[in-house]
Amino acid sequence: MTTRRPRVRSRVLLASLAAAASLTGQLVAMAPAASAAGPGPSAPKPAPAAPHKANPSDKDKDRDDWDNEKEKDKKKPAAQVPHGLRQFTSDNTFTPPAGVTSVFVQAWGAGGGGGGGGGGATVATRVGSGGNGGGGGAGGFTWCTLTVVPQADYGVDVGDGGDGGGGGAANAMGTPGGNGSTGVAGTASTLTRSSDNTVLLNAGGGGGGGGGTGGGLTDGANGPGGSGGIASCTTGGVNLTGGNGSSNGTGGTAADGIVGLPPYAAKGGDGGLRGPGGEVARPGGNGQDGGNGYVVIYW
């Protein structure tokens, strides 16, 4: 026997299917068109903007200009001040040329004069001669560097050599011979800043030699040698004492510098020779004058 389904269930199933189909159509119609074919191609991304380069600030420009100027200065040769040398054998004024701010100075003081020889005595024996005069001392020496002001004045005083002492007279009527006189000391060589009268260096003069004593029944004694001059500079440097004179009549020798001295400059004068005694007496010789000072400035 054939079983039949109730018509009511068939109708409810058909109605449910129809409703589902209707709802599905509505959802498809509401969806974006692109969804039907899957996701569409992405829109092209905009090209990245070129990085912005900031213009240099005024400070940076100034720094660059300053650096460029420094580089130019490095390449520029330094201004050269012509070298020079001045020698002084008498008092004068030194004025540094433009651009000269430092100088080398060598200065010698004057030598002292030699002492006079003693006079001889008239005696029957072979004695009675006077003593030799002592040699004068040499001038002192200084060598130093000094800071100077361009085109300002500096006084240069060059020392004067001391006079030699006079010889002693020969004796008369059996009296002893005369004593020789002492030589005169030499004077200093100096450099002085004129603006305030400040002495920057001083090379002292040598001392004078002593005179020999006159002869009598015995020979006279030699005079003592003069002492060498001393020197100083406000900035130190090299400072040497001049050579001492000797009692045998030889004058002191000046110190050597970087430049040669003129003949006899700064030397101590030799002492005068003794006057011989005996049956005929003679006076003592005069001492020799000391050499003048000398100053050299170079830059």
Side-chain angles (χ1 to χ4, degrees):
M1 176 170 129
T2 305
T3 304
R4 296 185 181 185
R5 298 178 177 176
R7 290 185 179 181
V8 174
R9 177 180 287 185
S10 298
R11 288 176 184 167
V12 171
L13 178 63
L14 290 173
S16 298
L17 292 173
S22 175
L23 178 61
T24 302
Q26 291 175 6
L27 292 174
V28 171
M30 290 172 64
S35 65
S42 301
K45 295 181 179 180
H52 178 67
K53 187 175 182 181
N55 292 327
S57 65
D58 292 340
K59 184 176 181 180
D60 293 335
K61 288 181 180 179
D62 291 341
R63 185 182 298 110
D64 291 341
D65 292 342
W66 174 251
D67 291 340
N68 291 336
E69 288 299 323
K70 288 200 297 184
E71 287 299 322
K72 289 179 182 178
D73 290 340
K74 288 180 181 178
K75 296 178 182 178
K76 290 179 181 179
Q80 298 294 322
V81 177
H83 294 292
L85 181 148
R86 286 198 62 187
Q87 304 176 69
F88 298 87
T89 56
S90 60
D91 297 349
N92 211 318
T93 299
F94 170 66
T95 304
V100 174
T101 59
S102 178
V103 295
F104 298 99
V105 184
Q106 291 193 342
W108 289 261
T122 303
V123 291
T125 59
R126 299 181 63 85
V127 293
S129 296
N132 292 317
F141 169 73
T142 183
W143 177 6
C144 59
T145 304
L146 294 173
T147 299
V148 295
V149 177
Q151 298 183 326
D153 289 340
Y154 295 82
V156 180
D157 291 323
V158 179
D160 294 322
D163 295 335
N171 81 330
M173 306 299 291
T175 59
N179 296 330
S181 60
T182 300
V184 177
T187 61
S189 294
T190 61
L191 181 69
T192 302
R193 186 167 55 213
S194 301
S195 61
D196 57 5
N197 205 34
T198 297
V199 177
L200 302 178
L201 61 83
N202 184 307
T213 60
L217 296 178
T218 59
D219 290 337
N222 293 336
S227 58
I230 60 175
S232 63
C233 179
T234 54
T235 58
V238 176
N239 300 288
L240 302 176
T241 301
N244 295 328
S246 70
S247 60
N248 65 8
T250 303
T253 303
D256 290 331
I258 199 170
V259 294
L261 283 167
Y264 202 67
K267 184 182 181 303
D270 291 339
L273 296 177
R274 63 185 181 181
E279 295 181 358
V280 179
R282 297 285 186 270
N286 295 329
Q288 191 177 38
D289 295 343
N292 292 332
Y294 183 59
V295 177
V296 177
I297 302 175
Y298 54 101
W299 58 93

